[in-house]
């Protein structure tokens, strides 16, 4: 009898854990330590569940009395894998490029009023100005958000792009001049007019975020975002940073891009309405069916990584094309770039 009770308690406990892993928002646990990490790595969790099933089968072969409990746990894990797969499939695995095909020009079919937005956490300038500029030119980027990129490198990127007929304005916020990770740069096309940094709305605290507005008042507010990672000792700061992102995304005509150190699973209570992702902004990858493609880290396949780099905009912009770029994995950064084409709504 005690064994049966213990087995029932274990089964119920495992079922509860798996439910939280699939749907943490049900109990408001998506921003809680451990749960926040598990939900960020859904595909890895599914692979782990598959490995657990194999282990349970092996145990059942050795211990016949374990077979009933093992079967029950295996069924729960299979349900978890199926549910996780359904969530990922709903979010989308992207275009052929996201699965490994060569990059194509994102602006090939772009209309005159469309904007191409590129973001790349460069891990402290690791790829170098030449490679960053090459990618920005290849994609025809009008906006380039560069977390962990210093002012010097951003200016060099802009000079290279100017030499190729694509002049850009540069705005950088550095919290110190020692750690390159504590800089964030934002390049905006001269075709959009002059942009200046808005210092009235603050920044994320550990690694910076940049807000720029058009000097003539015409055009979108543009944000390069970089909340801190949810690591030990920084969880409360991480949550505060996500609240800052919500504030930066609240309003009209806003485009935001960068390394959010979070996935769309973390934003349920940060959205201003049911149609937005965070604040008033909508995630471009979610809109176009590429939100399951991992942008970090580059040393695992993209479908096992976590999609923490985002491009978002308010509803006056519609994402028409989004792709995660895979052919820069060997250039030093641990993040993959992501590029989106945004078209004016209506």
């Amino acid at each position: 009898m005690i064994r049966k009770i213990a087995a029932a308690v274990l089964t119920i406990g495992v079922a509860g854990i798996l439910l939280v892993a699939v749907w943490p928002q049900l109990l408001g646990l998506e921003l809680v330590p451990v749960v926040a990490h598990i939900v960020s790595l859904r595909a890895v969790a599914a692979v782990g569940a598959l490995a657990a099933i194999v282990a349970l089968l092996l145990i059942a072969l050795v211990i016949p009395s374990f077979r009933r409990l093992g079967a029950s746990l295996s069924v729960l894990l299979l349900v978890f894998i199926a549910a996780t797969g359904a969530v990922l499939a709903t979010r989308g695995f992207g275009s052929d490029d996201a699965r490994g095909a060569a990059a194509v020009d994102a602006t090939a079919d772009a209309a005159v009023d469309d904007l191409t937005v590129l973001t790349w956490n460069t891990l402290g300038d690791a790829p170098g100005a030449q490679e960053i500029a090459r990618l920005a030119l290849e994609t025809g980027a009008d906006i380039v958000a560069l977390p962990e990129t210093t002012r010097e490198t951003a200016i060099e990127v802009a000079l290279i792009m100017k030499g190729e007929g694509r002049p850009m304005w540069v705005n950088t916020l550095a919290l110190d001049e020692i750690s390159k990770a504590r800089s964030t740069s934002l390049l905006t096309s001269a075709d959009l007019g002059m942009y200046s940094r808005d210092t009235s709305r603050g920044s994320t605290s550990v690694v910076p975020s940049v807000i720029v507005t058009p000097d003539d008042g015409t055009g979108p507010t543009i944000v390069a975002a970089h909340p801190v990672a949810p690591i030990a000792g920084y969880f409360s700061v991480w949550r505060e940073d996500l609240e800052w992102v919500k504030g930066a995304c609240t309003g009209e005509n806003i485009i935001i891009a960068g390394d959010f150190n979070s996935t769309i699973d973390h934003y349920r209570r940060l959205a201003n309405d049911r149609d937005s992702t965070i604040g008033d902004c909508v995630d471009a990858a979610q809109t176009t069916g590429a939100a399951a493609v991992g942008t970090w880290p580059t040393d695992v396949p993209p479908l096992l990584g976590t999609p923490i780099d985002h491009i978002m905009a308010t509803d006056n912009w519609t994402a028409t094309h989004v792709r995660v770029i895979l052919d820069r994995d060997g250039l030093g950064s641990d993040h993959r770039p992501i590029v989106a084409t945004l078209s004016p709504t209506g």
Side-chain angles (χ1 to χ4, degrees), residues 35-341:
V35 177
H37 293 97
I38 292 173
V39 79
S40 295
L41 296 164
R42 287 185 178 272
V44 173
V47 171
L50 183 60
I53 290 173
V54 173
L56 290 171
L57 292 175
L58 292 175
I59 293 171
L61 289 174
V62 177
I63 308 174
S65 61
F66 178 76
R67 289 174 183 173
R68 180 171 294 181
L69 175 59
S72 298
L73 296 177
S74 295
V75 169
L76 290 175
L77 290 168
L78 285 171
V79 172
F80 170 76
I81 293 170
T84 298
V87 171
L88 293 174
T90 299
R91 293 178 181 175
F93 299 109
S95 64
D96 288 340
D97 178 60
R99 292 191 291 270
V104 295
D105 185 356
T107 64
D109 299 317
V112 173
D113 294 331
D114 289 355
L115 291 179
T116 298
V117 183
L118 170 70
T119 184
W120 193 6
N121 180 326
T122 65
L123 194 64
D125 299 335
Q130 288 285 349
E131 291 294 343
I132 298 169
R134 181 178 293 114
L135 179 59
L137 290 166
E138 284 180 7
T139 57
D142 302 292
I143 298 167
V144 185
L146 297 171
E148 300 195 21
T149 302
T150 61
R151 179 180 289 106
E152 292 75 16
T153 296
I155 290 172
E156 189 176 352
V157 170
L159 289 174
I160 295 170
M161 295 183 71
K162 181 180 180 180
E164 297 295 328
R166 294 282 295 176
M168 308 289 283
W169 295 111
V170 178
N171 281 278
T172 299
L173 177 58
L175 298 185
D176 63 47
E177 300 299 329
I178 300 172
S179 172
K180 293 182 177 182
R182 286 168 62 81
S183 291
T184 294
S185 294
L186 176 60
L187 280 63
T188 55
S189 172
D191 293 340
L192 300 179
M194 183 174 289
Y195 270 76
S196 299
R197 191 161 68 86
D198 181 355
T199 60
S200 66
R201 300 170 69 181
S203 167
T204 44
S205 54
V206 178
V207 283
S209 298
V210 177
I211 299 178
V212 300
T213 54
D215 288 6
D216 63 3
T218 302
T221 295
I222 304 171
V223 185
H226 195 192
V228 71
I231 57 178
Y234 286 94
F235 251 87
S236 61
V237 180
W238 175 64
R239 289 190 287 263
E240 290 169 3
D241 280 357
L242 293 184
E243 288 284 354
W244 184 90
V245 171
K246 174 185 177 179
C249 270
T250 297
E252 299 179 351
N253 200 10
I254 301 166
I255 296 172
I256 184 168
D259 171 11
F260 285 48
N261 274 311
S262 51
T263 73
I264 58 177
D265 278 305
H266 298 116
Y267 306 143
R268 179 175 179 179
R269 286 165 175 76
L270 297 171
N272 288 339
D273 59 65
R274 62 182 300 175
D275 295 323
S276 60
T277 305
I278 185 169
D280 294 320
C281 292
V282 178
D283 185 77
Q286 187 176 17
T287 300
T288 59
V293 183
T295 60
W296 177 89
T298 55
D299 56 2
V300 303
L303 299 186
L304 288 180
T306 180
I308 59 174
D309 298 270
H310 302 276
I311 296 168
M312 303 188 191
T314 45
D315 61 6
N316 59 298
W317 296 97
T318 299
T320 57
H321 184 81
V322 174
R323 62 190 173 90
V324 176
I325 299 170
L326 306 183
D327 61 359
R328 265 66 175 184
D329 284 3
L331 295 182
S333 176
D334 56 346
H335 287 253
R336 296 185 176 98
I338 180 172
V339 63
T341 301

